[in-house]
């Protein structure tokens, strides 16, 4: 594990020699890791390697079989698990505030202090300041708005799974803890919410340990990538791109060391076979050294899923055409006037917030729904193959083999025939897992079964609804390569921006307000064009003059509260820091050399710069508001 920098002298949390097993499967095997203040640590590894189990150990929800976990005294931890628990009977706001229960209690005690000494008051104030407690109310409002949480008064019991997860994320973030532990934080978030979360976490003073399959998120947020493999941690400084380079170098070193070990064993084996009696000290030492080296394990080769998409039948001149298509639900239009023409060999991405109409569009294209207006024309040679995000097409009680084989022992791919067992091995199912029941599999394994089952059907128009959910990073890369090389037409709904950028020739973007945009190029190119258009529009629209509030006659001007007075004292410094940070980002983006070498990262930095400028304006607005209250009271 890499040593901490000089500024990271005291670890917030250290895990030493952790061991954890489930049955015969060893998850952690002497795993050691430390997390330092301010770090943003991305944890990566294959599905089932133990990432979520380790997060539960860090959050104090689970104990290892062996090993030691040490936490800094007074450490405040926020945790978003994959399977989170909310109070089903309470409304959204109460569940979010529960994440800051300790902080709220401290604020209440401070503001209603009776009989507390000066030292105790100073300690309470320091703890509240450390957690940015005086801005708790504005933070709750910002979190619920930016993460599109349901209305505050809605009872959690009646929320969808995605809505509950956004509430859970707000609850984890609201206390601004010293250590934030997040398991797949971008699930059920649209692109706008993910971009905001990136900026929020990047500016968070505390440390963050997170698991995600969103590679842009990893690339933009992580200051260190830790890979969990074979029960141990391998630490790499930098973001996801740096990790990919460092991992390749690490594997080369391991292979070189293994080749050196094999050459040594080949030289020594003849001496051992000669039956030399180990009587002398040197002979015994040489023999002991031979057996010690022989006992060392070779580095295990990583197995990648070999995703096989059958060669598609030839498409006709017409694949699928949508002409002036619209959908109206209960008098409200979901979208109107949509024109689309799909072509052979292209991959089209679909992106937008939940409920905007993405799944409805798929149903129209598949011919499962009629449009309210317009026409959908499906080509005579078009054969659909649909991968459903809900996995409703899997029978939880059947085995992997039975679910995929459907009573046929072989799979036909063009001129090639495979046995079902050989086919499933390409999807990383070993002989001892092929007969396991579907219901016992992890989410990622179920997704691989679903892909194996549906892709064997063939077809020349592949429709994938959120195919990246629960897939590990290695499997995602293989799926991307398969789609890039697919000769038919593919349509992909996904929130994974890295995935969309790699595979898409065009994107269909729903804005959630009835507007659908079809853009040539990948998703990042669309975002770049949209930001440029918004900048032009913003420059053309003059800012309206602010109206001063009129106070009723006879009403006394109110004074600043103690909390507002403290906020006013520190707001100039906050503005200065925010402007310096924005200026630093702007200087980098204005450097042509930096932009050429970091074109992908620059897109996220531009989004971060826009957000910081909005924050600066909000600070100035707040400063004017507080100064007006102070001046009126003094007058």
């Amino acid at each position: 594990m890499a040593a901490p920098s000089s500024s990271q002298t005291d670890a917030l949390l250290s895990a030493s020699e952790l061991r954890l097993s489930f049955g015969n499967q060893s998850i952690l095997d002497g795993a050691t890791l430390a997390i330092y203040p301010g770090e943003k640590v991305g944890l990566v590894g294959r599905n089932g390697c133990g990432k979520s189990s380790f997060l539960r150990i860090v959050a104090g929800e689970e104990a290892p079989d062996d090993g030691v976990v040490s936490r800094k005294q007074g450490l405040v931890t926020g945790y978003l698990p994959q399977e989170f628990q909310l109070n089903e009977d309470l409304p959204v706001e109460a569940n979010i505030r529960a994440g800051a229960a300790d902080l709220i209690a401290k604020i209440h005690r401070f503001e209603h202090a009776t009989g507390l000494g000066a030292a105790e008051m100073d300690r309470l104030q320091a703890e509240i300041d450390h957690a940015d407690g005086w801005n708790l109310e504005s933070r709750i409002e910002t979190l619920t708005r930016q993460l599109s949480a349901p209305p505050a008064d809605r009872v959690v019991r009646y929320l969808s799974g995605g809505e509950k997860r956004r509430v859970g994320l707000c609850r984890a973030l609201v206390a601004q803890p010293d250590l934030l532990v997040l398991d797949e934080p971008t699930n059920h978030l649209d692109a706008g919410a993910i971009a905001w979360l990136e900026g929020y976490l990047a500016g968070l003073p505390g440390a963050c340990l997170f698991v995600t399959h969103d590679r842009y998120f990893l690339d933009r947020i992580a200051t260190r990538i830790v890979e969990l493999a074979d029960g141990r941690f391998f630490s790499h400084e930098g973001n996801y791109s740096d990790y990919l380079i460092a991992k390749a170098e690490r594997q080369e070193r391991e292979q070189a060391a293994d080749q050196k070990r094999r050459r040594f064993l080949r030289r020594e084996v003849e001496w051992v076979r000669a039956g030399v009696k180990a009587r002398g000290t040197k002979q015994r030492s040489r023999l002991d050294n031979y057996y010690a080296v022989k006992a060392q394990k070779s580095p295990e080769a990583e197995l990648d899923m070999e995703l096989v998409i059958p060669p598609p039948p030839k498409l006709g001149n017409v694949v699928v055409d949508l002409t002036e298509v619209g959908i109206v639900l209960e008098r409200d239009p979901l979208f109107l006037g949509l024109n689309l023409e799909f072509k052979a060999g292209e991959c089209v991405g679909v992106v937008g917030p939940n409920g905007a109409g993405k799944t409805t569009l798929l149903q129209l294209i598949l011919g499962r729904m009629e449009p309210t207006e317009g026409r959908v024309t499906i080509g005579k040679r078009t054969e659909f193959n649909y991968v459903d995000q809900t996995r409703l097409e899997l029978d939880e009680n059947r085995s992997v083999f039975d679910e995929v084989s459907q009573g046929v022992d072989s799979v036909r791919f063009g001129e090639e025939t495979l046995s079902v067992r050989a086919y499933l091995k390409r999807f990383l199912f070993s002989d001892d897992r092929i007969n396991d029941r579907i219901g016992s599999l992890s989410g990622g394994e179920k997704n691989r079964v679903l892909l194996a089952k549906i892709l064997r059907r063939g077809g020349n128009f592949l429709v994938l609804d959120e195919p990246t959910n629960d897939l590990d990073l290695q499997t995602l890369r293989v799926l991307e390569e398969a789609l890039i090389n697919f000769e038919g037409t593919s349509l992909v709904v996904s929130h994974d921006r890295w995935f969309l950028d790699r595979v898409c020739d065009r994107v269909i973007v729903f804005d959630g307000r009835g507007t659908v945009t079809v853009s040539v190029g990948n998703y990042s190119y669309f975002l770049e064009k949209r930001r440029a258009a918004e900048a032009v529009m913003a420059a053309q629209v003059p800012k309206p003059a602010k109206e001063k509030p009129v106070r009723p006659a006879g009403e006394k001007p109110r004074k600043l509260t103690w909390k507002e007075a403290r906020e006013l004292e520190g707001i100039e410094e906050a503005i200065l820091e925010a402007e310096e940070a924005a200026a630093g980002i702007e200087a980098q983006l204005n450097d042509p050399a930096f932009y050429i070498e970091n074109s992908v990262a620059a897109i996220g930095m531009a989004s971060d710069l826009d957000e910081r400028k909005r924050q600066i304006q909000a600070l100035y607005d707040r400063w004017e508001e507080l100064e007006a209250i102070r001046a009126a009271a003094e007058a």
Side-chain angles (χ1 to χ4, degrees), residues 177-373:
D178 304 314
L179 175 59
L180 193 56
V181 182
L182 304 174
D183 200 346
E184 295 291 358
T186 63
N187 279 2
H188 300 289
L189 297 184
D190 58 42
I194 293 172
W196 178 85
L197 182 61
E198 287 173 350
Y200 182 86
L201 293 179
L204 196 70
C208 183
L209 172 67
F210 62 97
V211 170
T212 182
H213 68 267
D214 187 325
R215 287 156 290 178
Y216 274 137
F217 193 84
L218 274 171
D219 222 32
R220 293 168 180 170
I221 300 304
T223 59
R224 181 158 60 113
I225 300 290
V226 174
E227 181 182 6
L228 177 54
D230 302 322
R232 295 177 297 149
F233 292 119
F234 298 89
S235 185
H236 305 272
E237 293 298 321
N239 63 9
Y240 181 67
S241 297
D242 298 323
Y243 152 74
L244 291 177
I245 297 170
K247 181 180 179 180
E249 293 173 348
R250 186 191 88 208
Q251 289 176 327
E252 287 179 5
R253 290 194 300 271
E254 290 175 346
Q255 292 295 333
D258 189 56
Q259 290 175 4
K260 183 177 179 181
R261 182 181 75 91
R262 290 174 183 273
R263 287 196 298 268
F264 169 81
L265 291 176
R266 282 196 296 270
R267 289 197 305 268
E268 294 293 279
V269 72
E270 295 300 326
W271 178 79
V272 174
R273 285 174 178 170
V276 178
K277 296 179 180 179
R279 292 176 180 173
T281 302
K282 289 184 178 179
Q283 288 177 323
R284 284 198 301 273
S285 175
R286 183 175 177 180
L287 194 60
D288 290 344
N289 188 38
Y290 166 79
Y291 284 116
V293 173
K294 185 180 180 182
Q296 293 174 4
K297 290 174 61 179
S298 295
E300 293 188 12
E302 284 194 358
L303 297 175
D304 273 332
M305 182 176 74
E306 186 180 350
L307 186 58
V308 184
I309 299 180
K314 188 175 180 180
L315 284 158
N317 292 329
V318 175
V319 180
V320 176
D321 289 349
L322 279 69
T323 307
E324 294 296 322
V325 167
I327 289 289
V328 178
L329 302 176
E330 298 179 357
R331 300 182 181 178
D332 294 324
L334 196 59
F335 54 84
L336 298 172
L338 180 59
N339 292 288
L340 278 172
E341 181 182 341
F342 291 92
K343 301 174 184 177
E346 74 169 348
C347 179
V348 180
V350 184
V351 66
N354 298 318
K358 302 188 299 294
T359 302
T360 300
L361 175 63
L362 298 194
Q363 298 301 312
L364 287 170
I365 291 169
L366 292 166
R368 299 181 178 183
M369 177 186 290
E370 291 295 325
T372 308
E373 58 183 55

Side-chain angles (χ1 to χ4, degrees), residues 4 55 226 242 254 365 372 417-418 453 510 562:
L55 294 194
V226 174
D242 298 323
E254 290 175 346
I365 291 169
T372 308
T417 301
L418 296 174
K453 176 184 175 182
F510 290 77
W562 182 88

Side-chain angles (χ1 to χ4, degrees), residues 450-608:
L450 185 67
L451 288 171
K453 176 184 175 182
I454 295 180
L455 292 178
R456 65 166 293 182
R457 300 175 187 168
N460 51 25
F461 195 131
L462 190 59
V463 181
L464 306 175
D465 194 356
E466 294 290 359
T468 63
N469 282 353
D470 298 319
L471 293 184
D472 56 41
L473 298 179
Q474 292 90 338
T475 306
L476 278 173
R477 289 200 297 270
V478 178
L479 176 59
E480 289 162 359
E481 293 298 329
L483 285 173
I484 290 169
N485 295 319
F486 183 54
E487 295 178 358
T489 301
S490 51
L491 180 67
V492 181
V493 177
S494 180
H495 291 315
D496 189 325
R497 298 155 295 169
W498 189 299
F499 181 81
L500 290 170
D501 280 354
R502 280 212 67 198
V503 304
C504 290
D505 305 298
R506 284 191 294 163
V507 288
I508 303 168
V509 183
F510 290 77
D511 70 351
R513 298 184 295 275
T515 300
V516 183
T517 304
V518 181
S519 175
V520 176
N522 63 21
Y523 185 54
S524 287
Y525 181 59
F526 163 76
L527 291 177
E528 186 178 335
K529 289 192 299 181
R530 187 175 69 179
R531 277 194 292 269
E534 289 173 348
V536 171
M537 291 179 62
Q540 294 174 347
V541 178
K543 291 185 178 180
K546 292 185 178 180
E547 294 184 5
K548 294 183 179 181
V550 179
R551 188 172 65 249
E555 182 180 324
K556 292 184 178 180
R558 76 172 183 88
K559 295 182 179 180
L560 291 172
T561 65
W562 182 88
K563 187 163 55 175
E564 288 173 335
R566 283 188 57 83
E567 184 182 356
L568 182 58
E569 287 175 10
I571 205 163
E572 287 187 57
E573 185 178 350
I575 290 173
L576 181 62
E577 290 177 358
E579 288 181 332
E580 288 176 349
I585 296 173
E586 203 157 21
Q588 285 185 299
L589 291 176
N590 290 332
D591 181 357
F594 175 84
Y595 201 91
I596 291 170
E597 295 175 3
N598 302 273
S599 57
V600 174
I603 296 170
M605 291 174 65
S607 176
D608 184 29

Side-chain angles (χ1 to χ4, degrees), residues 72 74-78 102 106 130 175-180:
K72 186 176 180 179
L75 180 70
V76 178
T77 303
D102 289 343
K106 289 176 182 177
H130 176 70
Q176 201 158 301
D178 304 314
L179 175 59
L180 193 56

Side-chain angles (χ1 to χ4, degrees), residues 141-155:
E141 191 276 329
T142 300
L143 287 170
T144 53
R145 182 181 72 255
Q146 297 288 357
L147 297 178
S148 301
D153 58 351
R154 283 190 62 187
V155 177

